[in-house]
Amino acid sequence: MKELVKRELLVPEGVKKVLLHTCCAPCSVAIIDSMISNAIEPVVFFYNPNIYPQSEYDKRKAEIARYAAELGLEFIDADNSYADWLKETEYLKDEPERGERCNLCFRIRFEETARYAHEYGLKVFASTLGSSRWKDLTQINLAGKLASEAYDDLTFWEENWRKGGLANKQSEIIKQYDFYRQQYCGCEFSQRKR
């Protein structure tokens, strides 16, 4: 695999272990690679109750778990309750992508990520959701910041994962591992509109 110039990362609080909320392998691999090359240990946290149907959820979880295992990283399967997620979001089913439904979905996922980080003594959490060009980085960062504010000892790491050559690195790793690449965001509402 072609090596790219190392992207220097500055983690809040100078910590060396970060809880990384992951949505799927394609969005996560270059971020994980970048963290490792900066001597940052990502704890891979999979919590995505929005992903539909169950077979899609299983594929995405299996792929990121496979990558974490390959690298010897801790993988946290936070599992999910799609029925609970649907109850909370269904009233927003007609919202467009990047609308209020996405705001709520990010908040649901980040509140659980923040709770886990606090409970297990991790001081910083980040998310791979911001690597996707289909997502609004401002929405993601706001949801992360709000979730972290519930705990005095926790910081959400806002980072623009779309810059610094990570898209090229992402493509290389995806090809190397032959990762499954999904065709929609994850929720059944986005699937219907594709």
Side-chain angles (χ1 to χ4, degrees):
M1 179 173 11
K2 178 182 162 194
E3 288 299 315
L4 298 176
V5 175
K6 178 178 163 183
R7 177 185 177 185
E8 185 177 349
L9 297 175
L10 300 173
V11 185
E13 316 297 325
V15 302
K16 291 297 180 186
K17 190 171 187 176
V18 173
L19 186 65
L20 181 63
H21 171 268
T22 59
C23 53
C24 63
C27 288
S28 304
V29 294
I31 295 169
I32 290 170
D33 182 77
S34 185
M35 285 182 170
I36 291 170
S37 71
N38 278 272
I40 300 163
E41 179 186 347
V43 175
V44 179
F45 186 76
F46 190 83
Y47 179 73
N48 299 288
N50 61 306
I51 299 176
Y52 176 89
Q54 184 67 41
S55 59
E56 181 72 19
Y57 174 85
D58 293 340
K59 280 184 211 171
R60 293 186 193 194
K61 181 169 72 172
E63 290 289 73
I64 189 59
R66 173 169 67 103
Y67 192 61
E70 178 79 22
L71 299 176
L73 299 175
E74 184 176 359
F75 178 78
I76 308 300
D77 179 1
D79 219 338
N80 72 37
S81 172
Y82 181 75
D84 291 341
W85 179 88
L86 188 59
K87 267 191 249 177
E88 286 190 63
T89 61
E90 191 166 27
Y91 75 100
L92 296 169
K93 66 183 176 190
D94 294 323
E95 280 284 305
E97 288 300 301
R98 297 181 174 209
E100 189 53 37
R101 184 184 67 247
C102 292
N103 283 332
L104 178 58
C105 185
F106 298 149
R107 285 195 308 264
I108 290 167
R109 293 191 275 171
F110 290 167
E111 285 170 5
E112 179 61 17
T113 307
R115 183 204 61 75
Y116 185 93
H118 172 74
E119 186 174 322
Y120 288 91
L122 294 156
K123 302 293 182 198
V124 175
F125 80 95
S127 178
T128 63
L129 288 170
S131 69
S132 171
R133 63 186 174 154
W134 304 111
K135 300 290 177 215
D136 183 325
L137 197 54
T138 303
Q139 284 180 308
I140 291 164
N141 287 336
L142 179 60
K145 186 174 178 175
L146 289 172
S148 70
E149 287 175 353
Y151 305 97
D152 291 337
D153 62 343
L154 187 60
T155 301
F156 176 70
W157 180 11
E158 293 183 36
E159 182 72 31
N160 187 342
W161 300 110
R162 299 172 190 172
K163 295 186 174 187
L166 290 185
N168 291 337
K169 187 68 163 177
Q170 179 185 53
S171 295
E172 288 178 15
I173 297 170
I174 289 168
K175 185 183 284 186
Q176 178 186 0
Y177 285 88
D178 191 28
F179 284 123
Y180 164 72
R181 296 192 79 169
Q182 63 275 3
Q183 301 300 311
Y184 63 103
C185 143
C187 80
E188 71 177 284
F189 310 121
S190 67
Q191 183 188 37
R192 289 179 196 164
K193 292 181 179 183
R194 96 183 135 127

mmCIF file of all heavy atoms in Angstrom, residues 35-63:
data_model
loop_
_atom_site.group_PDB
_atom_site.id
_atom_site.type_symbol
_atom_site.label_atom_id
_atom_site.label_comp_id
_atom_site.label_asym_id
_atom_site.label_seq_id
_atom_site.Cartn_x
_atom_site.Cartn_y
_atom_site.Cartn_z
ATOM 1 N N MET A 35 -5.165 7.950 13.380
ATOM 2 C CA MET A 35 -4.975 7.976 14.833
ATOM 3 C C MET A 35 -3.786 7.104 15.240
ATOM 4 O O MET A 35 -2.922 7.547 16.003
ATOM 5 C CB MET A 35 -6.242 7.494 15.548
ATOM 6 C CG MET A 35 -7.358 8.491 15.554
ATOM 7 S SD MET A 35 -8.761 7.810 16.497
ATOM 8 C CE MET A 35 -9.793 9.266 16.599
ATOM 9 N N ILE A 36 -3.754 5.902 14.732
ATOM 10 C CA ILE A 36 -2.673 4.982 15.085
ATOM 11 C C ILE A 36 -1.316 5.552 14.691
ATOM 12 O O ILE A 36 -0.351 5.466 15.449
ATOM 13 C CB ILE A 36 -2.909 3.592 14.457
ATOM 14 C CG1 ILE A 36 -4.114 2.924 15.134
ATOM 15 C CG2 ILE A 36 -1.667 2.716 14.568
ATOM 16 C CD1 ILE A 36 -4.593 1.666 14.434
ATOM 17 N N SER A 37 -1.235 6.163 13.509
ATOM 18 C CA SER A 37 0.044 6.727 13.065
ATOM 19 C C SER A 37 0.461 7.932 13.908
ATOM 20 O O SER A 37 1.616 8.355 13.857
ATOM 21 C CB SER A 37 -0.004 7.090 11.581
ATOM 22 O OG SER A 37 -0.831 8.212 11.373
ATOM 23 N N ASN A 38 -0.456 8.467 14.710
ATOM 24 C CA ASN A 38 -0.158 9.564 15.629
ATOM 25 C C ASN A 38 -0.071 9.088 17.087
ATOM 26 O O ASN A 38 -0.196 9.882 18.016
ATOM 27 C CB ASN A 38 -1.224 10.655 15.516
ATOM 28 C CG ASN A 38 -0.981 11.584 14.353
ATOM 29 O OD1 ASN A 38 -0.276 12.566 14.468
ATOM 30 N ND2 ASN A 38 -1.563 11.255 13.201
ATOM 31 N N ALA A 39 0.086 7.772 17.273
ATOM 32 C CA ALA A 39 0.208 7.171 18.611
ATOM 33 C C ALA A 39 -1.023 7.430 19.482
ATOM 34 O O ALA A 39 -0.919 7.594 20.689
ATOM 35 C CB ALA A 39 1.483 7.641 19.302
ATOM 36 N N ILE A 40 -2.183 7.449 18.836
ATOM 37 C CA ILE A 40 -3.464 7.587 19.535
ATOM 38 C C ILE A 40 -4.157 6.240 19.434
ATOM 39 O O ILE A 40 -4.240 5.659 18.344
ATOM 40 C CB ILE A 40 -4.335 8.685 18.885
ATOM 41 C CG1 ILE A 40 -3.621 10.032 18.942
ATOM 42 C CG2 ILE A 40 -5.711 8.746 19.547
ATOM 43 C CD1 ILE A 40 -4.192 11.056 17.981
ATOM 44 N N GLU A 41 -4.653 5.742 20.554
ATOM 45 C CA GLU A 41 -5.331 4.456 20.564
ATOM 46 C C GLU A 41 -6.842 4.657 20.452
ATOM 47 O O GLU A 41 -7.474 5.103 21.403
ATOM 48 C CB GLU A 41 -5.019 3.700 21.860
ATOM 49 C CG GLU A 41 -5.702 2.373 21.955
ATOM 50 C CD GLU A 41 -5.495 1.700 23.312
ATOM 51 O OE1 GLU A 41 -4.638 2.135 24.090
ATOM 52 O OE2 GLU A 41 -6.226 0.726 23.577
ATOM 53 N N PRO A 42 -7.429 4.321 19.306
ATOM 54 C CA PRO A 42 -8.886 4.417 19.206
ATOM 55 C C PRO A 42 -9.553 3.187 19.814
ATOM 56 O O PRO A 42 -9.121 2.056 19.579
ATOM 57 C CB PRO A 42 -9.136 4.478 17.695
ATOM 58 C CG PRO A 42 -7.960 3.800 17.078
ATOM 59 C CD PRO A 42 -6.813 3.958 18.033
ATOM 60 N N VAL A 43 -10.570 3.416 20.607
ATOM 61 C CA VAL A 43 -11.435 2.347 21.088
ATOM 62 C C VAL A 43 -12.646 2.401 20.175
ATOM 63 O O VAL A 43 -13.385 3.393 20.169
ATOM 64 C CB VAL A 43 -11.842 2.547 22.563
ATOM 65 C CG1 VAL A 43 -12.838 1.482 23.001
ATOM 66 C CG2 VAL A 43 -10.610 2.544 23.458
ATOM 67 N N VAL A 44 -12.834 1.384 19.383
ATOM 68 C CA VAL A 44 -13.864 1.387 18.338
ATOM 69 C C VAL A 44 -15.223 1.088 18.976
ATOM 70 O O VAL A 44 -15.437 0.011 19.523
ATOM 71 C CB VAL A 44 -13.519 0.365 17.234
ATOM 72 C CG1 VAL A 44 -14.588 0.354 16.160
ATOM 73 C CG2 VAL A 44 -12.146 0.684 16.641
ATOM 74 N N PHE A 45 -16.133 2.066 18.881
ATOM 75 C CA PHE A 45 -17.432 1.996 19.531
ATOM 76 C C PHE A 45 -18.523 1.970 18.464
ATOM 77 O O PHE A 45 -18.697 2.939 17.725
ATOM 78 C CB PHE A 45 -17.603 3.219 20.444
ATOM 79 C CG PHE A 45 -18.845 3.198 21.287
ATOM 80 C CD1 PHE A 45 -18.930 2.400 22.408
ATOM 81 C CD2 PHE A 45 -19.914 4.008 20.960
ATOM 82 C CE1 PHE A 45 -20.073 2.397 23.204
ATOM 83 C CE2 PHE A 45 -21.059 4.018 21.751
ATOM 84 C CZ PHE A 45 -21.141 3.210 22.876
ATOM 85 N N PHE A 46 -19.235 0.859 18.375
ATOM 86 C CA PHE A 46 -20.274 0.703 17.359
ATOM 87 C C PHE A 46 -21.648 0.788 18.024
ATOM 88 O O PHE A 46 -22.080 -0.122 18.717
ATOM 89 C CB PHE A 46 -20.116 -0.634 16.630
ATOM 90 C CG PHE A 46 -20.990 -0.757 15.418
ATOM 91 C CD1 PHE A 46 -20.594 -0.217 14.207
ATOM 92 C CD2 PHE A 46 -22.212 -1.405 15.481
ATOM 93 C CE1 PHE A 46 -21.406 -0.321 13.077
ATOM 94 C CE2 PHE A 46 -23.031 -1.519 14.359
ATOM 95 C CZ PHE A 46 -22.617 -0.971 13.161
ATOM 96 N N TYR A 47 -22.309 1.921 17.817
ATOM 97 C CA TYR A 47 -23.672 2.125 18.314
ATOM 98 C C TYR A 47 -24.446 2.869 17.230
ATOM 99 O O TYR A 47 -24.261 4.071 17.032
ATOM 100 C CB TYR A 47 -23.691 2.918 19.621
ATOM 101 C CG TYR A 47 -25.105 3.152 20.113
ATOM 102 C CD1 TYR A 47 -25.844 2.110 20.662
ATOM 103 C CD2 TYR A 47 -25.700 4.395 19.998
ATOM 104 C CE1 TYR A 47 -27.147 2.301 21.087
ATOM 105 C CE2 TYR A 47 -27.003 4.598 20.427
ATOM 106 C CZ TYR A 47 -27.716 3.557 20.967
ATOM 107 O OH TYR A 47 -29.016 3.749 21.380
ATOM 108 N N ASN A 48 -25.289 2.135 16.514
ATOM 109 C CA ASN A 48 -26.001 2.691 15.365
ATOM 110 C C ASN A 48 -27.395 2.082 15.245
ATOM 111 O O ASN A 48 -27.670 1.308 14.332
ATOM 112 C CB ASN A 48 -25.200 2.433 14.089
ATOM 113 C CG ASN A 48 -23.843 3.096 14.150
ATOM 114 O OD1 ASN A 48 -23.740 4.309 14.061
ATOM 115 N ND2 ASN A 48 -22.798 2.306 14.348
ATOM 116 N N PRO A 49 -28.307 2.438 16.155
ATOM 117 C CA PRO A 49 -29.644 1.845 16.123
ATOM 118 C C PRO A 49 -30.472 2.272 14.920
ATOM 119 O O PRO A 49 -31.536 1.720 14.680
ATOM 120 C CB PRO A 49 -30.273 2.331 17.432
ATOM 121 C CG PRO A 49 -29.562 3.604 17.737
ATOM 122 C CD PRO A 49 -28.145 3.388 17.253
ATOM 123 N N ASN A 50 -29.966 3.211 14.158
ATOM 124 C CA ASN A 50 -30.665 3.695 12.968
ATOM 125 C C ASN A 50 -30.533 2.757 11.766
ATOM 126 O O ASN A 50 -31.322 2.848 10.823
ATOM 127 C CB ASN A 50 -30.127 5.066 12.568
ATOM 128 C CG ASN A 50 -28.641 5.009 12.239
ATOM 129 O OD1 ASN A 50 -27.835 4.536 13.039
ATOM 130 N ND2 ASN A 50 -28.280 5.467 11.067
ATOM 131 N N ILE A 51 -29.563 1.880 11.760
ATOM 132 C CA ILE A 51 -29.278 1.096 10.555
ATOM 133 C C ILE A 51 -30.357 0.039 10.328
ATOM 134 O O ILE A 51 -30.692 -0.737 11.210
ATOM 135 C CB ILE A 51 -27.877 0.458 10.619
ATOM 136 C CG1 ILE A 51 -26.821 1.558 10.720
ATOM 137 C CG2 ILE A 51 -27.627 -0.417 9.389
ATOM 138 C CD1 ILE A 51 -25.412 1.052 10.893
ATOM 139 N N TYR A 52 -30.857 0.036 9.105
ATOM 140 C CA TYR A 52 -31.988 -0.814 8.699
ATOM 141 C C TYR A 52 -31.720 -1.359 7.305
ATOM 142 O O TYR A 52 -31.169 -0.636 6.476
ATOM 143 C CB TYR A 52 -33.262 0.043 8.694
ATOM 144 C CG TYR A 52 -34.480 -0.677 8.208
ATOM 145 C CD1 TYR A 52 -35.274 -1.388 9.090
ATOM 146 C CD2 TYR A 52 -34.832 -0.647 6.858
ATOM 147 C CE1 TYR A 52 -36.410 -2.050 8.646
ATOM 148 C CE2 TYR A 52 -35.951 -1.315 6.408
ATOM 149 C CZ TYR A 52 -36.739 -2.014 7.306
ATOM 150 O OH TYR A 52 -37.855 -2.672 6.869
ATOM 151 N N PRO A 53 -32.097 -2.584 7.026
ATOM 152 C CA PRO A 53 -32.657 -3.617 7.892
ATOM 153 C C PRO A 53 -31.555 -4.290 8.725
ATOM 154 O O PRO A 53 -30.380 -3.936 8.617
ATOM 155 C CB PRO A 53 -33.267 -4.613 6.907
ATOM 156 C CG PRO A 53 -32.423 -4.488 5.683
ATOM 157 C CD PRO A 53 -31.988 -3.040 5.628
ATOM 158 N N GLN A 54 -31.931 -5.293 9.493
ATOM 159 C CA GLN A 54 -30.979 -5.977 10.378
ATOM 160 C C GLN A 54 -29.799 -6.549 9.596
ATOM 161 O O GLN A 54 -28.657 -6.505 10.062
ATOM 162 C CB GLN A 54 -31.686 -7.092 11.166
ATOM 163 C CG GLN A 54 -30.793 -7.785 12.183
ATOM 164 C CD GLN A 54 -30.378 -6.878 13.337
ATOM 165 O OE1 GLN A 54 -31.186 -6.108 13.838
ATOM 166 N NE2 GLN A 54 -29.120 -6.956 13.744
ATOM 167 N N SER A 55 -30.050 -7.064 8.407
ATOM 168 C CA SER A 55 -28.958 -7.633 7.599
ATOM 169 C C SER A 55 -27.920 -6.559 7.252
ATOM 170 O O SER A 55 -26.714 -6.831 7.227
ATOM 171 C CB SER A 55 -29.505 -8.290 6.337
ATOM 172 O OG SER A 55 -30.214 -7.343 5.558
ATOM 173 N N GLU A 56 -28.381 -5.343 6.999
ATOM 174 C CA GLU A 56 -27.472 -4.230 6.712
ATOM 175 C C GLU A 56 -26.660 -3.879 7.963
ATOM 176 O O GLU A 56 -25.448 -3.680 7.897
ATOM 177 C CB GLU A 56 -28.265 -3.014 6.228
ATOM 178 C CG GLU A 56 -27.427 -1.819 5.878
ATOM 179 C CD GLU A 56 -26.627 -1.971 4.599
ATOM 180 O OE1 GLU A 56 -26.958 -2.838 3.756
ATOM 181 O OE2 GLU A 56 -25.648 -1.224 4.416
ATOM 182 N N TYR A 57 -27.349 -3.820 9.080
ATOM 183 C CA TYR A 57 -26.695 -3.548 10.363
ATOM 184 C C TYR A 57 -25.596 -4.589 10.618
ATOM 185 O O TYR A 57 -24.466 -4.245 10.973
ATOM 186 C CB TYR A 57 -27.732 -3.566 11.482
ATOM 187 C CG TYR A 57 -27.143 -3.443 12.861
ATOM 188 C CD1 TYR A 57 -26.863 -2.201 13.417
ATOM 189 C CD2 TYR A 57 -26.854 -4.577 13.612
ATOM 190 C CE1 TYR A 57 -26.315 -2.085 14.675
ATOM 191 C CE2 TYR A 57 -26.305 -4.475 14.879
ATOM 192 C CZ TYR A 57 -26.037 -3.231 15.407
ATOM 193 O OH TYR A 57 -25.485 -3.128 16.655
ATOM 194 N N ASP A 58 -25.944 -5.857 10.428
ATOM 195 C CA ASP A 58 -24.986 -6.940 10.671
ATOM 196 C C ASP A 58 -23.762 -6.842 9.774
ATOM 197 O O ASP A 58 -22.632 -7.064 10.222
ATOM 198 C CB ASP A 58 -25.662 -8.303 10.494
ATOM 199 C CG ASP A 58 -26.715 -8.590 11.564
ATOM 200 O OD1 ASP A 58 -26.689 -7.954 12.647
ATOM 201 O OD2 ASP A 58 -27.581 -9.449 11.305
ATOM 202 N N LYS A 59 -23.969 -6.493 8.489
ATOM 203 C CA LYS A 59 -22.837 -6.354 7.559
ATOM 204 C C LYS A 59 -21.901 -5.235 7.999
ATOM 205 O O LYS A 59 -20.684 -5.398 8.015
ATOM 206 C CB LYS A 59 -23.338 -6.020 6.150
ATOM 207 C CG LYS A 59 -23.845 -7.180 5.357
ATOM 208 C CD LYS A 59 -24.205 -6.690 3.963
ATOM 209 C CE LYS A 59 -25.352 -7.499 3.407
ATOM 210 N NZ LYS A 59 -25.876 -6.927 2.170
ATOM 211 N N ARG A 60 -22.485 -4.090 8.321
ATOM 212 C CA ARG A 60 -21.656 -2.946 8.698
ATOM 213 C C ARG A 60 -20.881 -3.224 9.980
ATOM 214 O O ARG A 60 -19.701 -2.901 10.088
ATOM 215 C CB ARG A 60 -22.516 -1.690 8.844
ATOM 216 C CG ARG A 60 -23.096 -1.235 7.526
ATOM 217 C CD ARG A 60 -23.822 0.075 7.671
ATOM 218 N NE ARG A 60 -24.641 0.354 6.487
ATOM 219 C CZ ARG A 60 -25.166 1.526 6.217
ATOM 220 N NH1 ARG A 60 -24.981 2.545 7.032
ATOM 221 N NH2 ARG A 60 -25.902 1.700 5.140
ATOM 222 N N LYS A 61 -21.563 -3.819 10.962
ATOM 223 C CA LYS A 61 -20.884 -4.129 12.221
ATOM 224 C C LYS A 61 -19.771 -5.157 11.994
ATOM 225 O O LYS A 61 -18.665 -4.997 12.523
ATOM 226 C CB LYS A 61 -21.890 -4.646 13.247
ATOM 227 C CG LYS A 61 -21.239 -4.965 14.583
ATOM 228 C CD LYS A 61 -22.245 -5.228 15.680
ATOM 229 C CE LYS A 61 -22.950 -6.540 15.521
ATOM 230 N NZ LYS A 61 -23.781 -6.868 16.695
ATOM 231 N N ALA A 62 -20.036 -6.177 11.216
ATOM 232 C CA ALA A 62 -19.032 -7.213 10.970
ATOM 233 C C ALA A 62 -17.783 -6.643 10.299
ATOM 234 O O ALA A 62 -16.654 -7.040 10.633
ATOM 235 C CB ALA A 62 -19.630 -8.330 10.115
ATOM 236 N N GLU A 63 -17.958 -5.726 9.376
ATOM 237 C CA GLU A 63 -16.809 -5.172 8.657
ATOM 238 C C GLU A 63 -15.919 -4.334 9.562
ATOM 239 O O GLU A 63 -14.698 -4.465 9.539
ATOM 240 C CB GLU A 63 -17.279 -4.347 7.454
ATOM 241 C CG GLU A 63 -17.876 -5.189 6.342
ATOM 242 C CD GLU A 63 -16.841 -6.012 5.601
ATOM 243 O OE1 GLU A 63 -16.342 -7.010 6.178
ATOM 244 O OE2 GLU A 63 -16.515 -5.672 4.450
#
